[in-house]
Amino acid sequence: MRSSRLLSILLLLQTRRQLTARELADELEVSLRTIYRDVEALAAAGVPVYADQGRAGGYRLVEGYRTRLTGLTEQEAAALFLVGMPGAAAALGLTAETSAAELKLLAALAPDQRDRAGRLKNRFHLDLPAWYQDAENSPQLAAVADAVLHDRRVRVLYRRWEEPREVERLLEPYGLVLKNGSWYVVAATAGGLRTYRVSNILELTPTDEQFERADGFNLTQYWQEHLEGFDRTRFTAQAVLKVSARLAGRMYDISYPALVKAVAAAVPEPDGSVVVTVPIESVQNAAATLSRFGDALEVLEPQELRAELKELGRKLYDLYS
């Protein structure tokens, strides 16, 4: 604990140039007496730290003294600032670790490099949840993350879509994935690798049992294959659509990736409309999705989808007439 605090004092002085004993004590949440002892220990270890006296004084390092603890280049540190996710780190219970890592990154750079790399923190922000959606509340996330990091099995009570809704599972959590504000855990089970939505974990009981990961497992590769497999099972049919010129001209406003991609690749008719083919899920799901475009889009095929939209229109007419 003390060695970590001594390192933090050294990095703080290297990063901020000068700090009073009170500022150090507040930053590290210790007493003034502890700071005095720690600074003496640093000096005894050969670190050139000294105190400026007076109202504007404080502890400083001898000009030009630097410790390079990481060997990071300016570009490497800048890249790490760019991909940092403080919100995700907080959800995983890693706020303190993130702050410590940031401090080490800053300390690894010379003052002019530190200024340039630090600009990224205030000029780029990653907001993961989609529009009109809040990030999910996942009370078990920190416990799942701890199990992932330490390769420990967990017992969970999980809520799923099909009956029975609540099931017990023994999981060997391999990794966590954050997608559109929702966390998913990839875990080995008796039936093989499965993906679970963390917000659907109702209860979690840690165990002292460790597990060994399968050789060659790659979380990024698994997740990509999982998404591709999910799309193959989700999209069971196709629909042929006639998109009006006015709708085709505002695809940048449409949150329907398959339709946007199809329209972009289509050759317009003389009147500006386009005919495209898109994958769909069930007829009911497709009708609900496509009905929001009103008369700006016509389903040409399949006939079952046309009939479903006609019935939906009739019900709406009856409701509001």
Side-chain angles (χ1 to χ4, degrees):
M1 181 66 178
R2 191 188 187 198
S3 60
S4 175
R5 192 172 62 246
L6 292 175
L7 179 59
S8 294
I9 292 174
L10 176 58
L11 294 175
L12 283 167
L13 292 177
Q14 183 170 306
T15 304
R16 303 187 190 177
R17 307 285 299 255
Q18 177 175 299
L19 290 167
T20 66
R22 170 51 62 191
E23 289 171 333
L24 286 169
D26 291 343
E27 183 77 28
L28 300 175
E29 299 181 347
V30 296
S31 66
L32 283 172
R33 181 173 297 181
T34 297
I35 293 298
Y36 296 146
R37 288 199 301 263
D38 286 350
V39 171
E40 289 178 3
L42 283 173
V47 176
V49 57
Y50 67 96
D52 274 339
Q53 303 299 320
R55 297 183 62 181
Y59 289 115
R60 297 174 62 94
L61 295 172
V62 168
E63 191 68 32
Y65 175 82
R66 298 183 52 73
T67 177
R68 289 188 174 273
L69 299 171
T70 63
L72 288 172
T73 67
E74 174 189 348
Q75 291 76 18
E76 291 168 339
L80 287 173
F81 277 119
L82 183 59
V83 301
M85 297 184 292
L92 292 170
L94 298 174
T95 302
E97 290 80 359
T98 302
S99 298
E102 182 178 317
L103 182 60
K104 290 178 182 178
L105 286 174
L106 287 171
L109 303 175
D112 59 331
Q113 295 174 320
R114 185 160 60 238
D115 290 341
R116 290 196 296 273
R119 290 180 198 142
L120 287 172
K121 182 179 178 181
N122 293 321
R123 299 190 184 186
F124 296 91
H125 176 67
L126 184 61
D127 185 12
L128 295 173
W131 286 107
Y132 316 115
Q133 295 181 16
D134 294 327
E136 286 186 340
N137 179 31
S138 302
Q140 307 297 343
L141 179 57
V144 174
D146 185 71
V148 167
L149 290 173
H150 296 96
D151 294 339
R152 294 192 184 277
R153 295 187 178 95
V154 293
R155 296 186 182 277
V156 302
L157 179 64
Y158 187 76
R159 182 182 62 239
R160 60 182 186 174
W161 290 107
E162 57 187 352
E163 295 292 342
R165 293 295 304 279
E166 296 182 5
V167 294
E168 293 184 354
R169 293 287 186 266
L170 179 64
L171 306 182
E172 296 179 352
Y174 275 33
L176 281 163
V177 176
L178 178 59
K179 181 175 177 60
N180 286 350
S182 298
W183 286 95
Y184 297 86
V185 57
V186 177
T189 70
L193 285 174
R194 298 288 186 271
T195 301
Y196 298 89
R197 195 165 183 157
V198 178
S199 61
N200 287 349
I201 297 177
L202 306 177
E203 298 176 7
L204 183 146
T205 304
T207 74
D208 293 328
E209 304 169 6
Q210 285 196 298
F211 65 88
E212 291 190 10
R213 295 163 175 265
D215 291 338
F217 174 78
N218 182 295
L219 181 60
T220 302
Q221 179 180 342
Y222 170 85
W223 185 255
Q224 184 59 42
E225 292 173 352
H226 171 73
L227 293 180
E228 292 171 356
F230 179 70
D231 282 345
R232 285 194 297 270
T233 58
R234 182 165 65 103
F235 297 120
T236 58
Q238 292 183 323
V240 179
L241 313 175
K242 182 176 181 180
V243 181
S244 68
R246 73 175 188 276
L247 179 59
R250 59 182 185 90
M251 280 291 112
Y252 51 82
D253 282 333
I254 305 301
S255 56
Y256 190 164
L259 180 60
V260 172
K261 182 178 180 180
V263 170
V267 177
E269 300 291 333
D271 63 355
S273 66
V274 295
V275 176
V276 298
T277 301
V278 298
I280 60 171
E281 297 183 50
S282 66
V283 168
Q284 293 76 16
N285 177 278
T289 300
L290 298 173
S291 63
R292 63 190 172 105
F293 297 113
D295 64 351
L297 179 151
E298 180 187 359
V299 174
L300 303 180
E301 297 178 16
Q303 291 302 312
E304 296 86 352
L305 181 52
R306 288 178 62 90
E308 183 70 21
L309 282 164
K310 182 178 180 180
E311 178 64 14
L312 179 59
R314 184 191 65 77
K315 290 179 179 179
L316 289 173
Y317 178 81
D318 291 344
L319 179 62
Y320 292 105
S321 62

